[in-house]
Amino acid sequence: MNKHNMTTEKGIPSNSRVLMLFGQLEKLNRESMLVDPEIARQITAKVLHLIQTQEKTRKEIMSKASSGMEVILATLENTQDLQTILNILYILNELLTVGGGRRIGVFVSKGGTGILLQLVIRASKESPPSEEFMLQLHSVLAKVGPKDRKFGVKARLNGALNVTVNLLKQNLQNHKLLLPCLLVLQVYSSNTVNAVSLGKNGVVELMFRIIGPYSKKNTSLLKVSLDTLGALLKSKTNAQRAVVHVPVLLYIYQDWHRNDTRHRHILIRKGILGCLKNITNIKLGRKAFIDADGMRILYNTSNECLPVRTLDPLINTSSLIMRKCFPKNRLPLSTIKSVFHHQLLRVPAGGPVAQLYNQPLGVDDVVDESDNNEDAEAENDTENEVEEKYRHAGNDDVETDINKLRPKETHSRPFEELKIYERFFMELSEDFQVFNFDNPKRGVTATPAAPKSHRPIIVPTAQALPLKTPTAAPLQGECPHPAPVPALGLDTINITKDQDGCGDHTHSRSHPGAGLEQELVQGLERVALDGAGPQGGGGGVNKHNRQPPILAGAVAARLGGEGEEMSAEDWAEEEESDEGAVLHVPDTALLLPLHDPDLYMEMVKSTRSVPQFSEVAYPDYFGHVAPTSREHILERVYGVQRTKIFQDIERLIHPNDILDKVVYDLDIQSCTVVDGGESLKFNSQFESGNLRKAVQVRKFEYDLVLNSDINSNHYHQWFYFEVSGMRVGAPYRFNIINCEKSNSQFNYGMQVLMYSVQEAISGRPRWVRTGTDICYYKNHFSRSSIAAGGQKGKSYYTMTFSMTFNHKDDVCYFAYHYPYTYTTLKMHLQKLEALRTPQTYLREDVLCETLGGNSCPLLTITAMPESTSNDQICQFRNRPLVFLSSRVHPGETNASWVMKGTLEFLMGSSPLAHSLREAYIFKIVPMLNPDGVVNGNHRCSLSGEDLNRQWQNPSPELHPTIYHTKSLLQYLAAIQRAPLVFCDYHGHSRKKNVFMYGCSLKETVWETNISATSCELHEDLGYRTLPKILSQMAPAFSMASCSFVVERSKEATARVVVWREIGVQRSYTMESTLCGCDQGKYKGLQIGTRELEEMGAQFCVALLRLKRLTSPLKLRNHAHLLDVESDLMETRCKVSSNPSTYLLEDEEASFMEEVDYSAESGDEPDTADNHLSESNNHRDSLT
């Protein structure tokens, strides 16, 4: 070897002794070891001595510039002398034991693995093979194998696999040799094909001969044996072979649990559980586990481990096994289709709705009978990992067709078709000649420019549907129970602000003081609509038409005055009087200028629902005043999820403790049975309500089932229901058991919302964040493959929370987010119109009627011209348009609260609001899906489809609101007046903060591997301007969370279609979190209506700044715009007193409680069993 090859890196002398020895060894290699092998033994022995005594020598050999490793491997490959080989193996063991993966990587890169495997084959041909040789060889292989990705394949092709297995079988009592062989076998087993081959060779049964009950001896060997067995059992075929050993594993686990009192062998116990976990991935394994009483064994041992924090890994794995083996149950429903039905006159040609209508009678759509193809949903307890998976899955969804990323140059509809929409744009042609500018107060009432149009574009489907008018309700219901209580209509409720009414108190009670609390609960259950007693008819489900519950006289007696209790004498006097009930409505007129209970009750009568709701929820009637205090994101209590899961498991272990009592069921027409107050009472039969069934599981625990969207069999997320009959201080637990999403912000600090009627009447009418021990995890209720898009083995998820009530005889409401009903919108719009000033141009049109017969309002807001001069009229007509829409998804109620903030700001009297009206003409569709909102849907309209996936080709019969909204935009594009900004308000259930999705050709291409020329990627960056302005002004807004990538799955959404087809560069979806913020001024706080309305107002303020930035240069310094800029700066300083700190990713920190809450593990066919490629990867996508 020449000196150049043997030089070393700086700092190490080139004439060192080890390099001299390597030079001699290299010379021997060139001579093919023809000389006396004793020389090679001596040289390698000296090298070994230097390595064992000098760390510097090890560094010399493994340095980058050294060729020492090549010399060692060449010697190992050429020599036939056993002692020389042993010396080199000793050297390799010394070198690779320290230094981490880098040294092993060098060894692998130089072909060391192949040489070692050849030695295994060579040694196997000797009879018997040298024990020391095999020991050292497998020791080195055990170190090298995990770092060589091809190790398993090389060993199988080379034949070393069988050599190791035979060596293992022949040396079961030789623990010294057994340990390295098992380590190598464990690495072999990481390859699926190898694992199957080893199983056929009897290695699984061999492992069960090695492992055994508790012993203080050979614990290291037992640990490695369990790890090797666990690796083998990842194969479905091997798991089937091990099913018969499940009782043995449970016995061994119990024995180690019982004897390992000092917890020194946690890894052994965890290894046993790991084997059980892999066996129970298959159906036979789960059955064997149940038959061997595994549930009780793991439950008891886990409970005994709870006091010791270091045993959490055992508890978590046990929990996973138990949940996986919990027998699959069907939801307690006869069908997962919505309990309400709306007959479509035209059924879509394909898709889920068509499948629903074509489904044969008798097909069980509740549960999938075969669960042997369960897919492994790898969920994690950290939101960042879930988001990362979501992001990677999204990369495959990015649009790669350049042609689809360019705006269309031709309009798809002829102008003659669009001319009918001209009447919605009267402001573009109005000359205001009849408006009295000298006396604007008179002019406001007489102006023809801002009429309230009630002429909708009639959709044939909506026109054909019979409109339901509730008929008068009888005084007494048809309930066959004694002592019926007369109904009290709206007109007989005394609103204490102004009027008295009369009620019918003809019924009598034998004991006036008795039953007061029960009567009070009945009285507080809900407000009944005047004369709202549906008697049947099409559109709804007749079997659910029932007499409305009542507001009894007990309300006034119990909650009169300041909510003080009345004596029995007072109660009796009140009972005998002829006066009706007095409902004390909290006076919130100053705090809620847009809310009026009287007006709400008037408006709700014209709201049409499929179930023909005849009741009004108290929160919608009283209104909501945002709390003055901030509501912090809930800190997760350590172990809460585990505790909840164990309580679920107890249902199987102690079935006699389960009541399983149905206390509320929309599927069954029956009257509520008085049960002595042992159960809560539920109700959801009011606008936007959603609760289908309530089952009392234990004394204070209830399973709740949500209703599917109408004409659908899924979309379970939104809930809004009433609870009464509670006990003060009792620890109630509520489980919503048919959630569908794989993760939720309920795992990251979000709380449910509760509204207390007692609190409202006491002067605090508000929704508050509440609930403790909140978590979200996969449960044992099986999802039908029909509802899961054909995927088998899917499970539902449980959202669980605990609650204690503070008031006796209260009526409380729970909701997913702050409710905002269609009737609330109608009330707000009427109140806004009353606030209009002479300088404000406001017109409300009815765009169209929905499938359910509700009107879809369209607003036009701008500033009146200062005069009828040509300049003023020209300026008025040529203002740029801003098009806003909201609430296409009914469950995203936060979008309506943001829209409320926008509308209030636009109609306000501030200088900024006036400037904004002068700058733009606003066209606003505040609720794109009234039917979905009214009927308590989460995502769909009455057509059973997601309206925000219909923008490419909306149907006027099935999607009228989308069809006509798109037509408005098409009309504007046809007359060259496309909006400057289009924004669709939404809510986001998985992320924090407020952020935007936009559309960018460049940013989409950057996310893909497609090639494009610079001219093809030419794009104005103006689409980023508005989000950047918002990030500077709005404390809840996060620029870091924004995305401008166009995905294939979103190509039919409003944002993408308006960008592509209408040519609006600034086309956005603005997403508001349902949870809270993790940056800026509101960091660590849950979002409330105050913050949402503020966001809507800040959006308006940002549009003002955008106006200045998009104005021609000569106008940017105009005095008016400079004044506006000054106001904007002041506003920004006030809002951003606590500057936002933007994170690169809006993700969560890991929980201390590392619980894998996926209830299933993979039960997929083995790749080897099906002779598939070893590199076949399975990825779960979040939907």
Side-chain angles (χ1 to χ4, degrees):
M1 179 178 292
N2 57 51
K3 280 191 176 181
H4 177 72
N5 289 336
M6 289 304 300
T7 56
T8 61
E9 60 188 2
K10 186 177 179 181
I12 300 177
S14 60
N15 58 350
S16 66
R17 187 178 177 192
V18 71
L19 296 182
M20 180 184 67
L21 293 172
F22 277 137
Q24 297 174 9
L25 201 56
E26 186 178 25
K27 183 179 179 182
L28 291 178
N29 289 335
R30 286 200 299 268
E31 296 173 359
S32 302
M33 296 292 180
L34 297 177
V35 296
D36 187 359
E38 184 62 31
I39 299 176
R41 294 177 195 167
Q42 292 175 1
I43 294 174
T44 53
K46 290 176 182 179
V47 173
L48 175 61
H49 175 72
L50 288 173
I51 289 175
Q52 290 175 334
T53 57
Q54 298 180 15
E55 173 62 25
K56 183 178 69 172
T57 303
R58 290 196 289 267
K59 290 182 178 179
E60 287 180 22
I61 296 173
M62 300 306 300
S63 63
K64 292 181 180 179
S66 173
S67 60
M69 183 58 71
E70 287 95 328
V71 176
I72 292 174
L73 291 177
T75 306
L76 189 62
E77 190 174 18
N78 294 329
T79 186
Q80 299 294 322
D81 181 60
L82 178 60
Q83 188 57 51
T84 301
I85 294 174
L86 281 173
N87 287 344
I88 294 176
L89 291 176
Y90 293 141
I91 291 171
L92 291 174
N93 265 314
E94 290 288 340
L95 288 174
L96 303 180
T97 299
V98 295
R102 191 190 69 82
R103 291 186 178 182
I104 298 175
V106 171
F107 177 85
V108 172
S109 67
K110 296 184 183 300
T113 306
I115 295 173
L116 292 179
L117 293 174
Q118 286 296 331
L119 283 178
V120 172
I121 298 299
R122 190 197 309 172
S124 66
K125 296 177 181 178
E126 299 181 6
S127 183
S130 168
E131 179 181 324
E132 182 64 17
F133 175 60
M134 284 297 191
L135 175 64
Q136 295 302 321
L137 181 56
H138 280 81
S139 296
V140 178
L141 285 171
K143 293 180 175 69
V144 172
K147 300 296 182 181
D148 188 346
R149 294 182 180 180
K150 300 290 185 180
F151 185 76
V153 178
K154 292 175 183 176
R156 184 176 68 253
L157 297 177
N158 160 280
L161 199 66
N162 293 329
V163 174
T164 303
V165 172
N166 292 332
L167 188 66
L168 194 68
K169 292 179 178 179
Q170 296 166 8
N171 293 274
L172 286 178
Q173 304 304 318
N174 186 347
H175 295 165
K176 185 179 179 182
L177 180 58
L178 202 58
L179 184 60
C181 289
L182 286 172
L183 288 169
V184 174
L185 205 61
Q186 183 181 341
V187 183
Y188 288 161
S189 303
S190 62
N191 178 279
T192 310
V193 178
N194 285 354
V196 174
S197 175
L198 290 170
K200 292 179 180 178
N201 211 351
V203 177
V204 173
E205 288 75 12
L206 197 64
M207 291 296 101
F208 281 101
R209 293 172 57 187
I210 299 174
I211 62 175
Y214 175 79
S215 172
K216 293 182 179 181
K217 299 179 180 180
N218 303 314
T219 54
S220 298
L221 180 65
L222 182 57
K223 165 66 175 60
V224 174
S225 301
L226 289 167
D227 290 344
T228 304
L229 179 60
L232 287 167
L233 295 179
K234 289 180 181 179
S235 159
K236 178 181 176 181
T237 306
N238 290 340
Q240 290 174 338
R241 292 189 175 95
V243 164
V244 295
H245 299 289
V246 167
V248 175
L249 286 172
L250 287 169
Y251 169 77
I252 294 174
Y253 182 73
Q254 276 185 295
D255 191 55
W256 278 91
H257 170 81
R258 190 164 42 246
N259 291 287
D260 185 26
T261 55
R262 295 190 177 183
H263 313 303
R264 293 178 176 176
H265 303 293
I266 295 176
L267 292 178
I268 290 178
R269 294 156 68 179
K270 187 178 180 181
I272 301 171
L273 290 175
C275 295
L276 286 169
K277 175 184 171 183
N278 290 338
I279 295 175
T280 52
N281 280 342
I282 63 172
K283 196 171 184 178
L284 287 174
R286 293 192 289 274
K287 183 180 183 301
F289 180 83
I290 293 293
D291 293 343
D293 202 22
M295 295 290 282
R296 187 180 302 275
I297 292 171
L298 292 194
Y299 176 80
N300 291 335
T301 55
S302 297
N303 275 325
E304 292 170 8
C305 292
L306 284 175
V308 185
R309 188 74 170 265
T310 55
L311 299 182
D312 278 0
L314 304 182
I315 301 171
N316 296 339
T317 307
S318 297
S319 170
L320 179 63
I321 296 169
M322 286 187 284
R323 292 172 54 217
K324 185 164 46 176
C325 295
F326 202 112
K328 282 289 185 182
N329 291 346
R330 58 187 293 158
L331 284 174
L333 300 172
S334 58
T335 174
I336 56 175
K337 288 182 286 192
S338 174
V339 70
F340 306 123
H341 178 66
H342 178 85
Q343 181 63 43
L344 297 177
L345 299 185
R346 177 197 158 198
V347 179
V353 179
Q355 181 185 15
L356 204 66
Y357 271 78
N358 296 328
Q359 184 175 308
L361 294 175
V363 173
D364 186 1
D365 64 347
V366 178
V367 69
D368 185 4
E369 292 297 336
S370 74
D371 65 344
N372 57 355
N373 280 322
E374 299 160 349
D375 61 348
E377 292 191 23
E379 299 162 16
N380 303 284
D381 261 356
T382 55
E383 187 180 14
N384 56 339
E385 293 180 11
V386 175
E387 287 295 328
E388 193 66 27
K389 283 179 62 178
Y390 181 78
R391 196 174 295 113
H392 286 312
N395 288 338
D396 298 332
D397 189 37
V398 175
E399 182 58 71
T400 56
D401 187 344
I402 290 287
N403 294 322
K404 290 186 177 181
L405 294 174
R406 291 198 186 94
K408 288 186 177 179
E409 297 180 358
T410 59
H411 301 297
S412 56
R413 294 177 65 184
F415 184 69
E416 292 302 318
E417 280 187 24
L418 298 172
K419 284 190 68 175
I420 62 172
Y421 295 95
E422 183 179 5
R423 64 189 179 90
F424 293 108
F425 298 95
M426 297 167 57
E427 67 279 0
L428 300 182
S429 58
E430 178 58 51
D431 57 12
F432 293 92
Q433 294 302 316
V434 297
F435 184 77
N436 188 352
F437 284 93
D438 295 329
N439 187 357
K441 291 186 177 180
R442 286 185 54 199
V444 170
T445 59
T447 175
K452 182 172 181 178
S453 170
H454 290 282
R455 296 178 299 145
I457 296 178
I458 300 298
V459 179
T461 304
Q463 189 179 25
L465 291 174
L467 302 182
K468 318 298 185 302
T469 302
T471 56
L475 291 178
Q476 294 187 358
E478 300 175 356
C479 191
H481 293 291
V485 185
L488 188 61
L490 171 64
D491 294 339
T492 62
I493 299 174
N494 280 337
I495 306 301
T496 58
K497 293 187 293 185
D498 50 17
Q499 63 184 17
D500 294 331
C502 297
D504 189 348
H505 294 272
T506 56
H507 65 286
S508 62
R509 287 190 293 267
S510 57
H511 302 288
L516 169 60
E517 296 173 0
Q518 180 180 338
E519 288 287 340
L520 175 59
V521 172
Q522 291 179 350
L524 278 176
E525 280 182 345
R526 79 268 318 148
V527 181
L529 296 185
D530 180 26
Q535 301 299 317
V541 180
N542 292 342
K543 69 177 182 178
H544 303 294
N545 293 337
R546 59 180 181 81
Q547 300 304 321
I550 62 167
L551 180 68
V555 175
R558 183 71 174 86
L559 300 174
E562 295 297 320
E564 299 172 354
E565 288 195 34
M566 299 179 68
S567 65
E569 291 79 13
D570 294 335
W571 172 266
E573 292 176 6
E574 181 71 22
E575 178 102 336
E576 294 169 1
S577 71
D578 291 331
E579 295 183 2
V582 179
L583 178 62
H584 287 265
V585 180
D587 187 5
T588 58
L590 294 178
L591 295 174
L592 295 174
L594 298 187
H595 189 87
D596 184 342
D598 296 339
L599 180 59
Y600 188 94
M601 298 304 287
E602 197 61 37
M603 288 288 179
V604 77
K605 294 176 184 178
S606 62
T607 298
R608 306 186 185 281
S609 63
V610 171
Q612 299 184 0
F613 293 132
S614 60
E615 303 157 14
V616 173
Y618 270 94
D620 304 325
Y621 177 70
F622 284 153
H624 161 72
V625 178
T628 54
S629 59
R630 302 295 188 189
E631 295 175 299
H632 290 269
I633 289 175
L634 186 67
E635 184 177 350
R636 184 171 173 130
V637 178
Y638 182 83
V640 60
Q641 179 176 281
R642 185 172 62 200
T643 302
K644 297 290 186 179
I645 291 170
F646 274 40
Q647 290 174 4
D648 292 347
I649 292 169
E650 286 174 4
R651 300 187 188 191
L652 185 66
I653 297 175
H654 305 297
N656 294 332
D657 296 342
I658 304 304
L659 300 177
D660 201 24
K661 175 183 178 182
V662 177
V663 295
Y664 180 72
D665 192 349
L666 284 181
D667 290 275
I668 300 175
Q669 183 181 6
S670 64
C671 294
T672 304
V673 178
V674 178
D675 60 355
E678 291 299 319
S679 304
L680 293 176
K681 297 177 181 177
F682 293 84
N683 180 44
S684 62
Q685 299 186 71
F686 44 79
E687 186 177 352
S688 294
N690 191 317
L691 177 67
R692 180 170 183 169
K693 191 169 187 176
V695 180
Q696 187 175 13
V697 180
R698 299 182 178 95
K699 185 175 183 180
F700 298 118
E701 183 178 355
Y702 294 82
D703 281 353
L704 309 179
V705 183
L706 303 182
N707 193 24
S708 303
D709 285 4
I710 293 176
N711 274 322
S712 170
N713 53 19
H714 57 303
Y715 297 119
H716 308 109
Q717 190 165 336
W718 167 256
F719 57 86
Y720 182 17
F721 58 87
E722 171 195 292
V723 175
S724 60
M726 65 282 292
R727 295 186 183 182
V728 176
Y732 288 98
R733 176 185 172 184
F734 299 97
N735 311 308
I736 298 175
I737 61 173
N738 63 332
C739 301
E740 294 172 338
K741 289 196 173 182
S742 59
N743 204 358
S744 168
Q745 282 291 323
F746 284 117
N747 271 333
Y748 306 102
M750 187 168 84
Q751 294 177 281
V752 298
L753 284 147
M754 188 193 76
Y755 193 106
S756 164
V757 174
Q758 290 272 19
E759 288 287 317
I761 294 178
S762 300
R764 295 176 294 276
R766 59 178 59 113
W767 287 97
V768 294
R769 299 276 188 174
T770 192
T772 58
D773 297 344
I774 300 174
C775 51
Y776 186 97
Y777 54 88
K778 187 178 286 186
N779 61 33
H780 57 276
F781 291 102
S782 177
R783 284 185 68 186
S784 164
S785 60
I786 296 175
Q791 299 181 71
K792 294 185 178 182
K794 290 284 188 179
S795 293
Y796 286 105
Y797 290 76
T798 291
M799 193 287 285
T800 179
F801 66 97
S802 298
M803 182 70 204
T804 56
F805 297 96
N806 298 324
H807 300 290
K808 188 178 181 181
D809 302 323
D810 200 357
V811 175
C812 293
Y813 292 79
F814 291 96
Y816 179 65
H817 199 66
Y818 300 93
Y820 190 103
T821 65
Y822 172 63
T823 303
T824 299
L825 173 68
K826 293 191 293 182
M827 176 188 66
H828 283 169
L829 293 183
Q830 185 155 326
K831 296 287 284 185
L832 280 172
E833 186 174 8
L835 297 176
R836 181 180 55 179
T837 64
Q839 292 76 32
T840 303
Y841 181 103
L842 169 66
R843 188 176 75 250
E844 179 182 341
D845 298 305
V846 177
L847 177 61
C848 63
E849 283 190 347
T850 64
L851 299 184
N854 292 299
S855 299
C856 178
L858 168 67
L859 304 179
T860 304
I861 302 175
T862 188
M864 293 289 288
E866 295 180 4
S867 68
T868 57
S869 67
N870 287 337
D871 289 344
Q872 287 294 325
I873 297 299
C874 183
Q875 188 275 340
F876 175 87
R877 292 177 179 176
N878 288 287
R879 292 169 185 168
L881 280 93
V882 173
F883 204 109
L884 305 178
S885 62
S886 179
R887 204 68 184 281
V888 70
H889 295 144
E892 296 169 7
T893 58
N894 47 356
S896 282
W897 289 101
V898 176
M899 179 58 76
K900 178 176 181 286
T902 295
L903 292 174
E904 286 195 56
F905 185 90
L906 282 174
M907 294 301 296
S909 57
S910 70
L912 285 178
H914 182 69
S915 298
L916 185 64
R917 291 193 294 268
E918 288 185 329
Y920 299 105
I921 296 174
F922 286 87
K923 306 297 285 192
I924 302 175
V925 185
M927 190 170 284
L928 281 166
N929 191 353
D931 288 343
V933 172
V934 169
N935 292 287
N937 285 5
H938 172 65
R939 197 165 184 88
C940 300
S941 68
L942 292 187
S943 69
E945 297 169 296
D946 182 346
L947 291 183
N948 202 36
R949 297 296 186 274
Q950 310 303 324
W951 278 77
Q952 272 188 327
N953 188 27
S955 163
E957 295 86 11
L958 294 174
H959 326 115
T961 60
I962 304 301
Y963 179 84
H964 294 299
T965 302
K966 182 178 180 181
S967 297
L968 294 177
L969 290 160
Q970 289 174 321
Y971 172 79
L972 288 173
I975 63 172
Q976 306 299 312
R977 292 296 303 275
L980 176 70
V981 173
F982 172 85
C983 190
D984 190 20
Y985 293 178
H986 281 254
H988 205 287
S989 65
R990 296 196 187 195
K991 300 176 73 175
K992 289 184 169 64
N993 310 313
V994 180
F995 52 94
M996 277 181 162
Y997 292 131
C999 301
S1000 166
L1001 170 64
K1002 278 186 177 180
E1003 297 194 34
T1004 304
V1005 170
W1006 289 341
E1007 289 289 324
T1008 66
N1009 295 323
I1010 61 176
S1011 59
T1013 63
S1014 58
C1015 59
E1016 288 180 311
L1017 297 182
H1018 178 70
E1019 182 177 48
D1020 185 352
L1021 295 179
Y1023 64 89
R1024 278 185 165 265
T1025 307
L1026 186 58
K1028 284 183 178 179
I1029 295 172
L1030 282 170
S1031 70
Q1032 296 168 355
M1033 292 184 169
F1037 194 87
S1038 169
M1039 187 68 186
S1041 301
C1042 295
S1043 172
F1044 304 94
V1045 175
V1046 179
E1047 303 96 343
R1048 294 190 187 97
S1049 61
K1050 305 295 177 61
E1051 64 180 3
T1053 61
R1055 162 178 63 101
V1056 178
V1057 170
V1058 172
W1059 174 67
R1060 284 195 63 225
E1061 298 186 19
I1062 311 300
V1064 178
Q1065 181 195 35
R1066 297 177 177 88
S1067 179
Y1068 306 104
T1069 298
M1070 187 164 75
E1071 300 274 2
S1072 300
T1073 178
L1074 291 163
C1075 178
C1077 298
D1078 61 9
Q1079 52 87 48
K1081 176 182 175 182
Y1082 299 137
K1083 182 177 182 179
L1085 299 177
Q1086 296 187 77
I1087 203 161
T1089 56
R1090 180 187 289 106
E1091 292 75 32
L1092 292 169
E1093 291 182 50
E1094 177 191 76
M1095 188 64 235
Q1098 290 294 347
F1099 182 83
C1100 295
V1101 176
L1103 287 173
L1104 263 180
R1105 184 169 177 82
L1106 179 69
K1107 172 66 176 178
R1108 180 173 185 269
L1109 294 176
T1110 55
S1111 297
L1113 288 174
K1114 62 181 180 180
L1115 296 179
R1116 291 192 186 183
N1117 294 323
H1118 189 277
H1120 171 70
L1121 288 179
L1122 289 176
D1123 290 341
V1124 170
E1125 181 71 10
S1126 176
D1127 291 340
L1128 291 176
M1129 293 296 292
E1130 292 179 8
T1131 304
R1132 185 171 60 198
C1133 290
K1134 292 177 183 177
V1135 171
S1136 302
S1137 57
N1138 187 354
S1140 298
T1141 302
Y1142 297 111
L1143 307 180
L1144 293 178
E1145 298 175 349
D1146 64 322
E1147 295 156 354
E1148 311 296 334
S1150 301
F1151 290 129
M1152 292 178 65
E1153 176 190 9
E1154 296 181 359
V1155 180
D1156 180 359
Y1157 55 89
S1158 59
E1160 317 301 339
S1161 186
D1163 201 358
E1164 301 287 347
D1166 254 305
T1167 50
D1169 298 344
N1170 293 279
H1171 305 288
L1172 298 176
S1173 169
E1174 295 174 14
S1175 62
N1176 184 24
N1177 295 321
H1178 301 278
R1179 189 195 310 188
D1180 296 317
S1181 61
L1182 298 175
T1183 56

